[in-house]
Amino acid sequence: MSHLNYNHLYYFWHVCKQGSIVNAAEKLFLTPQTITGQIKALEERLQGKLFRRQGRGLVPTELGQLVFRYADRMFTLSQEMMDIVNYRKESHLLFDVGVADALSKRLVSKVLETAVQDDERIHLRCFESTHEMLLEQLSQHQLDMILSDCPVDSTQQEGLFSVKLGECGISFWCTPPLPQKPFPTCLEERRLLIPGRRSMLGRHLQRWLSSQELQVEILGEFDDAALMKAFGAANHAIFVAPTLYGQEMYHDGAIQEVGRLEEVKEEYYVIFAERMIQHPAVQRICNHDFTALFDA
C-alpha cells in the first residue's frame, strides 16, 4: 500500500470544514482547480467518493465522514503541537485572550493583571467579541483563553474546559434626580437599558423582570457593557452595572445607584483548550484566588 499524501488529506479537511471547494481555496490561497485536483487524487488513492452535492455546497459521503474524523484528529493535534512550540520559543510569551463583550472591562482588567509578572516578558493581546464567536476562535486555535460570563459544556465542546473565577451582584444606576418610587418599582419610571439576551446576565435579567411583573420600557439591549453605561448616562436611562464597578467609578455623584439586585449575579469564567493547560499565564489565572476581588 503506497504512502498517503498528507497534502491531499489537508485540502480535503479544509473543504469539509469550509463546506465548499471555493471557500477552502480562498482560505488556503489556492485556485479551486488545484483543490479539485487534489481531492480527485485522494479519492483515487482511497478508491471511493469523498463528497456529494447538497444544494450549492458539498457534504462528505459515508467514506468522507470516516476520513474526516481521522483527519480532524491529526491536524488538530499538529496545530496544538505548533501552538505549544511557538509560544515556548518566542522572545516574549504570547498570550491571546478573548473577552466576552458583555463583561465589565474594569473587572476583566483586574483578572488579566494576574497573568502579568514583572520578571517575565509577556505579550498580551486581547480581542473582544460574543461568547459564541470567541468559542469558535478558541476551537480554531486563534486564542489561548477566553474570559466569559458563562461556562463551556465540555460534553458538547470536546477538549475545552472552564473554571469559575467568581461572581458579583449587580445594581441599577442612573443620573440624578433618582426615581421617586422604591426599588424595584422605580424601574417603571425611566426607560431601561440591559445587557443583550445573548449574554447570560441579559437572560437572567429578562427572567427576573418577568417574575417581578414590572411594566418596564426597555429602551435598548447592549452587548457592549461600556457602551450601555455611556448611552444610559447620556440619555437619562436606568442601566445595569456590577455593584463593585459602580462603587469605584461613580463616587462623584454624577451617576447614582437606584437599587441593588443580589438575586442575579454577573459571573466570570475562564475557558481554555486542553493544549493550553501548561501555558504559564493560563495557570496563573486558573490557580489564583479572586475572592478579594469579587467580594470587595
Side-chain angles (χ1 to χ4, degrees):
M1 196 171 185
S2 60
H3 183 70
L4 181 66
N5 188 313
Y6 288 102
N7 280 335
H8 297 169
L9 188 64
Y10 185 67
Y11 298 149
F12 160 79
W13 180 62
H14 269 285
V15 173
C16 285
K17 290 173 71 70
Q18 299 300 321
S20 74
I21 289 177
V22 172
N23 290 342
E26 291 178 357
K27 184 80 172 180
L28 295 168
F29 301 102
L30 297 170
T31 65
Q33 292 79 8
T34 299
I35 300 291
T36 299
Q38 301 287 322
I39 297 298
K40 287 183 177 178
L42 182 61
E43 288 178 333
E44 291 174 2
R45 174 69 184 78
L46 298 176
Q47 299 181 354
K49 285 291 184 182
L50 295 171
F51 292 105
R52 61 180 176 82
R53 286 281 175 189
Q54 182 171 290
R56 296 184 178 181
L58 294 175
V59 295
T61 61
E62 184 176 348
L63 174 63
Q65 293 174 23
L66 172 66
V67 174
F68 175 76
R69 285 197 295 271
Y70 282 96
D72 194 47
R73 289 165 61 187
M74 291 166 56
F75 293 120
T76 297
L77 281 173
S78 69
Q79 286 184 342
E80 290 180 7
M81 178 190 70
M82 292 308 300
D83 285 342
I84 295 172
V85 169
N86 286 335
Y87 88 66
R88 287 186 179 276
K89 66 188 220 185
E90 291 282 349
S91 59
H92 288 73
L93 180 65
L94 290 177
F95 189 37
D96 291 337
V97 181
V99 179
D101 44 21
L103 290 179
S104 302
K105 302 309 177 289
R106 198 166 188 85
L107 289 175
V108 168
S109 175
K110 297 288 187 182
V111 171
L112 290 178
E113 287 176 10
T114 309
V116 179
Q117 289 190 346
D118 293 337
D119 60 349
E120 183 179 69
R121 301 181 69 188
I122 189 169
H123 188 156
L124 178 64
R125 298 188 296 192
C126 292
F127 307 90
E128 188 176 7
S129 188
T130 63
H131 173 82
E132 292 75 17
M133 287 296 296
L134 292 175
L135 275 183
E136 182 177 342
Q137 291 173 341
L138 183 65
S139 299
Q140 294 175 357
H141 308 269
Q142 298 173 16
L143 295 172
D144 298 325
M145 191 190 80
I146 295 173
L147 285 168
S148 187
D149 63 341
C150 56
V152 67
D153 185 349
S154 296
T155 63
Q156 300 295 321
Q157 299 280 346
E158 186 178 356
L160 298 184
F161 303 91
S162 55
V163 174
K164 186 174 182 177
L165 302 180
E167 61 182 24
C168 59
I170 63 168
S171 293
F172 293 85
W173 307 83
C174 70
T175 55
L178 293 177
Q180 297 299 310
K181 296 179 182 179
F183 181 81
T185 310
C186 62
L187 299 179
E188 298 178 335
E189 294 187 38
R190 289 202 197 178
R191 293 179 296 178
L192 186 62
L193 306 179
I194 63 173
R197 65 191 68 208
R198 290 188 301 179
S199 70
M200 186 68 73
L201 179 57
R203 293 193 292 272
H204 286 169
L205 276 172
Q206 291 274 7
R207 287 196 290 269
W208 179 80
L209 289 170
S210 297
S211 71
Q212 299 298 308
E213 298 183 351
L214 296 171
Q215 302 299 314
V216 298
E217 179 185 353
I218 296 178
L219 174 60
E221 299 180 22
F222 289 77
D223 286 337
D224 188 280
L227 178 59
M228 177 174 63
K229 299 177 185 79
F231 190 84
N235 290 273
H236 307 293
I238 296 175
F239 61 92
V240 174
T243 303
L244 298 176
Y245 184 103
Q247 289 173 341
E248 185 174 351
M249 293 293 293
Y250 306 141
H251 53 80
D252 60 357
I255 302 291
Q256 296 181 10
E257 188 176 25
V258 175
R260 192 169 299 185
L261 185 59
E262 293 296 339
E263 300 99 306
V264 177
K265 305 284 187 179
E266 181 170 68
E267 300 179 337
Y268 287 73
Y269 292 87
V270 57
I271 303 172
F272 55 92
E274 186 176 13
R275 70 185 188 281
M276 286 293 117
I277 290 176
Q278 298 303 318
H279 194 294
V282 174
Q283 286 185 335
R284 283 195 287 270
I285 291 177
C286 289
N287 295 331
H288 188 81
D289 184 359
F290 289 100
T291 302
L293 172 62
F294 291 104
D295 290 347

